[in-house]
mmCIF file with all atom_site columns, all heavy atoms in Angstrom:
data_model
loop_
_atom_site.group_PDB
_atom_site.id
_atom_site.type_symbol
_atom_site.label_atom_id
_atom_site.label_alt_id
_atom_site.label_comp_id
_atom_site.label_asym_id
_atom_site.label_entity_id
_atom_site.label_seq_id
_atom_site.pdbx_PDB_ins_code
_atom_site.Cartn_x
_atom_site.Cartn_y
_atom_site.Cartn_z
_atom_site.occupancy
_atom_site.B_iso_or_equiv
_atom_site.pdbx_formal_charge
_atom_site.auth_seq_id
_atom_site.auth_comp_id
_atom_site.auth_asym_id
_atom_site.auth_atom_id
_atom_site.pdbx_PDB_model_num
ATOM 1  N N     . ARG A 1 130 ? 3.777  13.616 -0.323  1.00 94.00 ? 154 ARG A N     1
ATOM 2  C CA    . ARG A 1 130 ? 2.405  13.165 -0.594  1.00 94.00 ? 154 ARG A CA    1
ATOM 3  C C     . ARG A 1 130 ? 1.684  12.792 0.692   1.00 94.00 ? 154 ARG A C     1
ATOM 4  O O     . ARG A 1 130 ? 0.471  12.996 0.802   1.00 94.00 ? 154 ARG A O     1
ATOM 5  C CB    . ARG A 1 130 ? 2.427  11.981 -1.559  1.00 94.00 ? 154 ARG A CB    1
ATOM 6  C CG    . ARG A 1 130 ? 2.771  12.423 -2.975  1.00 94.00 ? 154 ARG A CG    1
ATOM 7  C CD    . ARG A 1 130 ? 2.384  11.392 -3.997  1.00 94.00 ? 154 ARG A CD    1
ATOM 8  N NE    . ARG A 1 130 ? 3.428  10.401 -4.173  1.00 94.00 ? 154 ARG A NE    1
ATOM 9  C CZ    . ARG A 1 130 ? 3.969  10.088 -5.356  1.00 94.00 ? 154 ARG A CZ    1
ATOM 10 N NH1   . ARG A 1 130 ? 3.560  10.688 -6.440  1.00 94.00 ? 154 ARG A NH1   1
ATOM 11 N NH2   . ARG A 1 130 ? 4.892  9.184  -5.422  1.00 94.00 ? 154 ARG A NH2   1
ATOM 12 N N     . TYR A 1 175 ? 24.972 14.626 -0.031  1.00 91.00 ? 199 TYR A N     1
ATOM 13 C CA    . TYR A 1 175 ? 25.939 15.542 0.575   1.00 91.00 ? 199 TYR A CA    1
ATOM 14 C C     . TYR A 1 175 ? 26.384 15.103 1.968   1.00 91.00 ? 199 TYR A C     1
ATOM 15 O O     . TYR A 1 175 ? 27.205 15.750 2.593   1.00 91.00 ? 199 TYR A O     1
ATOM 16 C CB    . TYR A 1 175 ? 25.296 16.939 0.697   1.00 91.00 ? 199 TYR A CB    1
ATOM 17 C CG    . TYR A 1 175 ? 23.977 16.903 1.410   1.00 91.00 ? 199 TYR A CG    1
ATOM 18 C CD1   . TYR A 1 175 ? 23.921 16.939 2.804   1.00 91.00 ? 199 TYR A CD1   1
ATOM 19 C CD2   . TYR A 1 175 ? 22.784 16.781 0.689   1.00 91.00 ? 199 TYR A CD2   1
ATOM 20 C CE1   . TYR A 1 175 ? 22.717 16.860 3.458   1.00 91.00 ? 199 TYR A CE1   1
ATOM 21 C CE2   . TYR A 1 175 ? 21.581 16.696 1.347   1.00 91.00 ? 199 TYR A CE2   1
ATOM 22 C CZ    . TYR A 1 175 ? 21.551 16.740 2.721   1.00 91.00 ? 199 TYR A CZ    1
ATOM 23 O OH    . TYR A 1 175 ? 20.359 16.649 3.369   1.00 91.00 ? 199 TYR A OH    1
ATOM 24 P P     . DA  C 2 5   ? 17.741 18.328 2.743   1.00 62.64 ? 185 DA  C P     1
ATOM 25 O OP1   . DA  C 2 5   ? 17.214 19.024 3.891   1.00 62.64 ? 185 DA  C OP1   1
ATOM 26 O OP2   . DA  C 2 5   ? 19.134 17.824 2.697   1.00 62.64 ? 185 DA  C OP2   1
ATOM 27 O "O5'" . DA  C 2 5   ? 16.742 17.111 2.499   1.00 62.64 ? 185 DA  C "O5'" 1
ATOM 28 C "C5'" . DA  C 2 5   ? 17.121 16.016 1.703   1.00 62.64 ? 185 DA  C "C5'" 1
ATOM 29 C "C4'" . DA  C 2 5   ? 16.168 14.849 1.930   1.00 62.64 ? 185 DA  C "C4'" 1
ATOM 30 O "O4'" . DA  C 2 5   ? 16.361 14.370 3.277   1.00 62.64 ? 185 DA  C "O4'" 1
ATOM 31 C "C3'" . DA  C 2 5   ? 14.694 15.215 1.838   1.00 62.64 ? 185 DA  C "C3'" 1
ATOM 32 O "O3'" . DA  C 2 5   ? 13.931 14.065 1.485   1.00 62.64 ? 185 DA  C "O3'" 1
ATOM 33 C "C2'" . DA  C 2 5   ? 14.355 15.626 3.265   1.00 62.64 ? 185 DA  C "C2'" 1
ATOM 34 C "C1'" . DA  C 2 5   ? 15.171 14.595 4.034   1.00 62.64 ? 185 DA  C "C1'" 1
ATOM 35 N N9    . DA  C 2 5   ? 15.576 15.077 5.345   1.00 62.64 ? 185 DA  C N9    1
ATOM 36 C C8    . DA  C 2 5   ? 16.669 15.842 5.647   1.00 62.64 ? 185 DA  C C8    1
ATOM 37 N N7    . DA  C 2 5   ? 16.785 16.106 6.923   1.00 62.64 ? 185 DA  C N7    1
ATOM 38 C C5    . DA  C 2 5   ? 15.702 15.461 7.508   1.00 62.64 ? 185 DA  C C5    1
ATOM 39 C C6    . DA  C 2 5   ? 15.243 15.365 8.824   1.00 62.64 ? 185 DA  C C6    1
ATOM 40 N N6    . DA  C 2 5   ? 15.870 15.921 9.852   1.00 62.64 ? 185 DA  C N6    1
ATOM 41 N N1    . DA  C 2 5   ? 14.119 14.662 9.051   1.00 62.64 ? 185 DA  C N1    1
ATOM 42 C C2    . DA  C 2 5   ? 13.504 14.098 8.021   1.00 62.64 ? 185 DA  C C2    1
ATOM 43 N N3    . DA  C 2 5   ? 13.822 14.123 6.734   1.00 62.64 ? 185 DA  C N3    1
ATOM 44 C C4    . DA  C 2 5   ? 14.944 14.826 6.538   1.00 62.64 ? 185 DA  C C4    1
ATOM 45 P P     . DT  C 2 8   ? 3.158  13.843 -7.281  1.00 62.64 ? 188 DT  C P     1
ATOM 46 O OP1   . DT  C 2 8   ? 1.777  13.992 -6.802  1.00 62.64 ? 188 DT  C OP1   1
ATOM 47 O OP2   . DT  C 2 8   ? 3.736  12.511 -7.499  1.00 62.64 ? 188 DT  C OP2   1
ATOM 48 O "O5'" . DT  C 2 8   ? 3.290  14.665 -8.638  1.00 62.64 ? 188 DT  C "O5'" 1
ATOM 49 C "C5'" . DT  C 2 8   ? 3.054  16.058 -8.611  1.00 62.64 ? 188 DT  C "C5'" 1
ATOM 50 C "C4'" . DT  C 2 8   ? 3.394  16.654 -9.953  1.00 62.64 ? 188 DT  C "C4'" 1
ATOM 51 O "O4'" . DT  C 2 8   ? 4.816  16.629 -10.148 1.00 62.64 ? 188 DT  C "O4'" 1
ATOM 52 C "C3'" . DT  C 2 8   ? 2.772  15.906 -11.134 1.00 62.64 ? 188 DT  C "C3'" 1
ATOM 53 O "O3'" . DT  C 2 8   ? 2.110  16.847 -11.941 1.00 62.64 ? 188 DT  C "O3'" 1
ATOM 54 C "C2'" . DT  C 2 8   ? 3.962  15.258 -11.840 1.00 62.64 ? 188 DT  C "C2'" 1
ATOM 55 C "C1'" . DT  C 2 8   ? 5.117  16.172 -11.448 1.00 62.64 ? 188 DT  C "C1'" 1
ATOM 56 N N1    . DT  C 2 8   ? 6.445  15.512 -11.371 1.00 62.64 ? 188 DT  C N1    1
ATOM 57 C C2    . DT  C 2 8   ? 7.523  16.108 -11.977 1.00 62.64 ? 188 DT  C C2    1
ATOM 58 O O2    . DT  C 2 8   ? 7.444  17.137 -12.602 1.00 62.64 ? 188 DT  C O2    1
ATOM 59 N N3    . DT  C 2 8   ? 8.714  15.447 -11.829 1.00 62.64 ? 188 DT  C N3    1
ATOM 60 C C4    . DT  C 2 8   ? 8.939  14.265 -11.149 1.00 62.64 ? 188 DT  C C4    1
ATOM 61 O O4    . DT  C 2 8   ? 10.052 13.772 -11.093 1.00 62.64 ? 188 DT  C O4    1
ATOM 62 C C5    . DT  C 2 8   ? 7.761  13.683 -10.535 1.00 62.64 ? 188 DT  C C5    1
ATOM 63 C C7    . DT  C 2 8   ? 7.891  12.403 -9.786  1.00 62.64 ? 188 DT  C C7    1
ATOM 64 C C6    . DT  C 2 8   ? 6.588  14.329 -10.673 1.00 62.64 ? 188 DT  C C6    1
#
Side-chain angles (χ1 to χ4, degrees):
Chain A
R154 287 198 274 234
Y199 53 85

